[in-house]
Amino acid sequence: MALTTSRAQHPDQPSDDGVDVARRLLDSSAQLSYDPLVEVDWDTPLDKDFHGASPEWSTLYGTAYWEEMSDAQRKELTRQEAASVACTGIWFEMILQQMILRDIYSKDPTDETFQWALTEIADECRHSIMFARGAKKLGAPAYRPRRVAVELGRLFKTTAFGEAAYAAILVAEEVLDVMQRDWMRDERVVPFVRTINNIHVVEESRHMMFAREETRKHLARAGRVRRRIHAVMIAISAYVIVTSMVNREVYANAGLDEERALREARANEHHKSMVRASCSGLMEFLSSCGLLTRPALFWYKRAHLI
């Protein structure tokens, strides 16, 4: 469920009433939110006849290695990749929660924007638990980003503010949104993962609307130098997020030759095109906000987002 605004406005300007947006998001959350502990079938044993994600989203789909793999290996790989994406989602949702809490720390708690921010944090807490249980049910270990990514994330969550924080949040949510919309509709994907994806897509649509609104609001009072610095910060965070989604260990855990799988995944033009297509709307938004500077484009191209 996507919420949109019908008002025509300059892309750098927030809507006429940010409080009104927050109020509508609170109303939507009250009407349509989920409890994953109840909605997801955690009790039925994992059926290994299903994929963990749409095969077309696998990092090896379309490669020579994929053609050599058995059907069981392909399904196991997509289950491990889905678990890795879930673990990366948990990592970034923890960063997201800290940035939002820091942003609202001294703001008016009676304001709807403050209350929506807390609602979003509550959503992210539930999502993180949901992703953790989902990864465990898929038979995967706790995949973690590389040490350098963890430390960059620690630095980013401590220093990012304003449009840098909210646009980075938007990047992570938009990249996941398109792939999860495919997975939740795909009957080849194990049912409990489809339910997880459906819950995440519905609730993240509100988070993306808020992130866009806050990005515009902060950019409206950002000077040229700050805007250019934050454009690069956002792009680097996008690069780190996207390149951390699938841990290299998924290949060995799926019974594959890790080094060969890595080589073919890195050269896989099909997967790169899927990622670029998923980010077209995001790139259009960032461009409209003046955040696709030349230095920023370098990082987006390295991540195959554009």
Side-chain angles (χ1 to χ4, degrees):
M1 181 190 69
L3 297 177
T4 58
T5 176
S6 60
R7 300 175 193 168
Q9 62 190 53
H10 189 277
D12 279 6
Q13 296 299 319
S15 62
D16 295 337
D17 188 354
V19 173
D20 181 57
V21 170
R23 185 178 299 117
R24 286 188 286 124
L25 291 173
L26 284 167
D27 289 344
S28 173
S29 180
Q31 295 168 19
L32 187 58
S33 290
Y34 297 96
D35 180 354
L37 296 180
V38 175
E39 300 290 342
V40 181
D41 179 6
W42 300 114
D43 297 326
T44 302
L46 174 66
D47 187 340
K48 294 191 175 182
D49 286 334
F50 286 92
H51 286 275
S54 297
E56 293 79 9
W57 275 100
S58 173
T59 55
L60 289 181
Y61 183 87
T63 65
Y65 207 170
W66 180 268
E67 295 304 318
E68 296 173 18
M69 291 162 59
S70 67
D71 185 57
Q73 285 178 313
R74 293 172 180 174
K75 288 173 179 174
E76 181 61 32
L77 176 60
T78 62
R79 289 194 292 268
Q80 294 296 322
E81 288 177 322
S84 180
V85 169
C87 290
T88 302
I90 294 169
W91 167 63
F92 193 77
E93 285 180 344
M94 292 177 71
I95 293 173
L96 178 159
Q97 292 172 57
Q98 292 177 70
M99 290 193 298
I100 293 178
L101 277 172
R102 187 155 46 82
D103 184 54
I104 67 171
Y105 173 68
S106 60
K107 293 184 178 177
D108 179 1
T110 66
D111 187 274
E112 278 90 347
T113 301
F114 180 98
Q115 293 167 29
W116 164 254
L118 289 181
T119 301
E120 179 167 341
I121 291 168
D123 287 347
E124 299 298 6
C125 286
R126 292 196 306 275
H127 294 169
S128 293
I129 295 170
M130 176 175 71
F131 285 157
R133 294 188 67 171
K136 184 176 182 178
K137 186 166 180 175
L138 285 167
Y143 290 113
R144 293 182 176 88
R146 301 181 307 278
R147 185 69 185 180
V148 65
V150 171
E151 295 307 322
L152 285 171
R154 195 187 308 277
L155 175 65
F156 184 77
K157 71 180 177 60
T158 304
T159 59
F161 66 92
E163 64 276 5
Y166 283 101
I169 290 169
L170 184 63
V171 167
E173 292 172 341
E174 292 256 9
V175 171
L176 279 175
D177 184 68
V178 174
M179 69 171 68
Q180 289 188 328
R181 285 178 187 273
D182 285 349
W183 300 1
M184 75 183 194
R185 300 185 184 107
D186 193 338
E187 295 185 356
R188 297 169 297 176
V189 174
V190 66
F192 83 91
V193 170
R194 295 178 64 195
T195 304
I196 287 172
N197 290 326
N198 183 68
I199 291 171
H200 198 245
V201 163
V202 169
E203 297 187 346
E204 288 295 326
S205 66
R206 295 188 286 261
H207 301 182
M208 288 188 289
M209 183 179 181
F210 184 64
R212 286 175 181 251
E213 181 72 17
E214 289 298 300
T215 299
R216 292 190 184 101
K217 182 174 76 176
H218 287 286
L219 278 171
R221 54 178 181 263
R224 180 174 177 273
V225 173
R226 174 176 138 181
R227 185 186 297 247
R228 293 182 69 82
I229 292 172
H230 280 186
V232 176
M233 287 180 63
I234 296 161
I236 293 174
S237 70
Y239 174 81
V240 174
I241 292 165
V242 171
T243 56
S244 298
M245 280 194 174
V246 177
N247 190 296
R248 62 181 293 160
E249 294 176 6
V250 302
Y251 304 114
N253 291 336
L256 304 178
D257 180 330
E258 184 175 311
E259 293 304 321
R260 181 188 172 187
L262 272 172
R263 287 195 305 272
E264 297 206 22
R266 287 169 178 166
N268 189 354
E269 292 301 326
H270 168 80
H271 189 258
K272 293 174 186 176
S273 68
M274 294 285 283
V275 173
R276 280 194 297 272
S278 73
C279 293
S280 58
L282 170 65
M283 292 299 117
E284 182 179 347
F285 173 76
L286 294 176
S287 177
S288 73
C289 292
L291 293 171
L292 286 189
T293 61
R294 183 172 296 178
L297 282 170
F298 169 81
W299 292 100
Y300 290 123
K301 288 177 180 177
R302 283 197 67 182
H304 310 293
L305 297 180
I306 197 168

